[in-house]
Amino acid sequence: MSNIVAFVETKEGKFKNSAFEIVTEAVKIASETSSELTVLAIGSGIENDAQSLAEYGAAKLIYTDLNELNGKNATQGFKYSPSSFAKVISEVAKQKNADIIILSATSLGKDLAGRIAIKTDSSVYNDCISVKTEGGKITASRPVYAGKSITEVKSNSDKIVLTLRPNVFKPVKKEGGSIQTEKADTGTFNLSDSDFSSVVKDVVISSEKLDVAEADRIVSGGRGLREPEQFKLVEELANSIGAAVGASRAVVDSGWRPHSEQVGQTGKTVSPSLYIACGISGAIQHLAGMSSSKCIVAINKDKDAPIFQVANYGIVGDVFEIIPAMTEEFKKVLSN
Amino acid sequence: MKIIVCVSLVPDSTTKVKISDSKKSIDENGVSYILNPYDELAVEEALKLKEKNGGDVTAISFGTDKSKEAIKKAFQMGADKGVLIKSGSPDFDSYTVSKNLADFIKPLNPDIVLFGKQSIDFDGLLVPSMVSELLGIPCISVVVKLDITDGKVTAEREVEGGKEIVESTLPIVIGAQKGINDPRYPNLKSIMAAKSKPIEEIAATYSGNKTEITEMNLPPAKASGKIFVNGKDDVSELVRLLREEAKVI
Ligand SMILES: Cc1cc2nc3c(=O)[nH]c(=O)nc-3n(C[C@H](O)[C@H](O)[C@H](O)COP(=O)(O)OP(=O)(O)OC[C@H]3O[C@@H](n4cnc5c(N)ncnc54)[C@H](O)[C@@H]3O)c2cc1C
Ligand SMILES: Nc1ncnc2c1ncn2[C@@H]1O[C@H](COP(=O)(O)O)[C@@H](O)[C@H]1O
């Protein structure tokens, strides 16, 4: 019998899609290990959206109001503060006697996991792509060497913190259940001024565009596009299927595209359900960031380009001919 | 300003990974090692802080003798001092690294401890935040811009779809992400100067490891894909397959 605390993320009073992934996996682990699952969230007005978690099998939600955390210190008006978030999660985990703490491997989750592990004296693994429970013991697998190898790992301590790679664990709905909600008493968390010595005062959205790290479909372009203006072909193809635009390092280093769009070892790691690579050779560092995508489509004029070795589908040909034809075809089939 | 930068030695990013016979690590034969690319950013940022504020830069690595190479690279870039915390075993996890680094760093009372945001071997993404927690000082991870003026820290941290503007106080731990600076290339003079800098060796304080690798495998091979060679004429068939076979459209 163990206890699980799953931390889920929220945005403007709603649970993010990653929350449903985390709940689905946590419910599964809880049933396999006969554990009790508590879902934990920090946000404002979040209790009104609790029923959406119940649809994925969560039976208990504890939440902390962000405004209340803000009220606990002098620098008010912050959106995130790593130490206090880590403390809230660790304290709830202690109160619940949790031996498994699960978060999403988002920038928030990865920022918090190590701190929570120290605060709760747990072992920790970031960016897991599968979790197994055998004989009540947890093992996880995670990519290392930029995805060139997969390690199976286990904990030598009785408590473990795991972050799960986004878009890998698919949310699965359960038969309509109900959820009990409880507002946490922040007074029990022993928050002190030092928990607020580092705070996020503002978040600057790079653009209204969909971010590659969150997108379920991505169309990426590389040096084969020849000049920055030609990226409009990539954008049009992306728009036709509601995809985000990604880029290779070669075009980012040339200043054609912002670094936030770079996919690969020194860019973002993505695993969308569809990844279309246009005029990208498929250097090992690029593959490191996208080879776990579910369906990879390559367009390249060189039939020996390494990208074809990881592609599920591909067309050997000129991007300037294929991309516009593909955009038209997508529009056609999607309007039917 | 007392500046510390933590560096690790990792296989070159073009390494073709082969699994060793133990199936718990990679086969190191033929692998060439480099300073972790993100740590290069951390060293550069450390040197810039020294140039602006004075003080000195100490590069620290936890590992076996091999890790001296990482410290030497930091010397070539311009670090003043180097310390190797010597691990008895080549197998150590993020906690062991963090605990040893923190135990050594704590009595030094640095103003800033710089890290790469992640090491490209185990991609742990843990050491900076764990060290900060063990030291009891704040940490900003994945930093693309850093400004320290009058003891006040302002940083930009990369997140999905944007950047967070973070305010903090010193002392602080920073995890450097690409974009924070352009690391310098060592010049002949600094390469020569590096040769005479000694690396201090000290013993590890902890060797427990909280985690264990039970198995290491290559990723499952992909079935070979359907590659069309008639260019534009194949587009409609490809789109049909994406829709009906792969079911992604
Ligand atoms: C430490 C390190 C980290 C790195 N990190 C990353 C990373 O995070 N992400 C990353 O992407 N790279 C990374 N790289 C760089 C990587 O090695 C490659 O240089 C880069 O990915 C190449 O980008 P590309 O495929 O756009 O360009 P190229 O390799 O130049 O490939 C262009 C491709 O376009 C094709 N092409 C040309 N014209 C046409 C046409 N008209 N129609 C169709 N196809 C055409 C060519 O056949 C070729 O295959 C890293 C390198 C190092 C050393
Ligand atoms: N063995 C080590 N010795 C010194 N610093 C390290 C070591 N391992 C990791 N680091 C630092 O911690 C950062 C993040 O590593 P990781 O948490 O392993 O992804 C690296 O970029 C280094 O700055």
Side-chain angles (χ1 to χ4, degrees), chain A residues 212-270:
Chain A
V212 278
E214 290 183 317
D216 189 46
R217 291 172 181 169
I218 296 170
V219 181
S220 276
R223 195 139 53 188
L225 268 303
R226 219 172 291 148
E227 48 190 53
E229 292 69 33
Q230 299 292 357
F231 253 80
K232 90 172 181 304
L233 296 176
V234 173
E235 282 169 357
E236 285 165 2
L237 179 57
N239 285 341
S240 72
I241 52 171
V245 172
S248 73
R249 171 155 165 189
V251 304
V252 171
D253 282 354
S254 307
W256 300 2
R257 304 299 296 183
H259 179 251
S260 57
E261 289 179 2
Q262 184 180 317
V263 172
Q265 185 153 42
T266 40
K268 300 212 167 110
T269 305
V270 299

Side-chain angles (χ1 to χ4, degrees), chain A residues 127-289:
Chain A
D127 223 10
C128 301
I129 54 170
S130 79
V131 180
K132 276 189 269 181
T133 54
E134 269 159 29
K137 273 274 174 200
I138 298 275
T139 58
S141 62
R142 55 183 304 272
V144 292
Y145 297 101
K148 285 184 263 179
S149 157
I150 310 288
T151 51
E152 297 288 326
V153 289
K154 69 167 198 195
S155 164
N156 289 336
S157 98
D158 358 315
K159 285 177 280 178
I160 189 163
V161 180
L162 297 172
T163 71
L164 309 184
R165 180 177 285 197
N167 285 332
V168 170
F169 298 83
K170 287 287 161 227
V172 181
K173 289 204 175 177
K174 296 268 180 323
E175 284 298 307
S178 66
I179 188 163
Q180 178 200 334
T181 61
E182 177 191 329
K183 189 162 181 291
D185 175 2
T186 48
T188 62
F189 297 153
N190 302 316
L191 290 160
S192 69
D193 282 349
S194 67
D195 292 316
F196 301 95
S197 48
S198 169
V199 293
V200 172
K201 291 297 282 218
D202 209 356
V203 183
V204 184
I205 308 295
S206 330
S207 63
E208 289 305 312
K209 281 182 292 182
L210 194 56
D211 188 72
V212 278
E214 290 183 317
D216 189 46
R217 291 172 181 169
I218 296 170
V219 181
S220 276
R223 195 139 53 188
L225 268 303
R226 219 172 291 148
E227 48 190 53
E229 292 69 33
Q230 299 292 357
F231 253 80
K232 90 172 181 304
L233 296 176
V234 173
E235 282 169 357
E236 285 165 2
L237 179 57
N239 285 341
S240 72
I241 52 171
V245 172
S248 73
R249 171 155 165 189
V251 304
V252 171
D253 282 354
S254 307
W256 300 2
R257 304 299 296 183
H259 179 251
S260 57
E261 289 179 2
Q262 184 180 317
V263 172
Q265 185 153 42
T266 40
K268 300 212 167 110
T269 305
V270 299
S271 36
S273 50
L274 175 63
Y275 188 92
I276 306 182
C278 311
I280 291 179
S281 59
I284 192 124
Q285 298 92 353
H286 188 81
L287 302 185

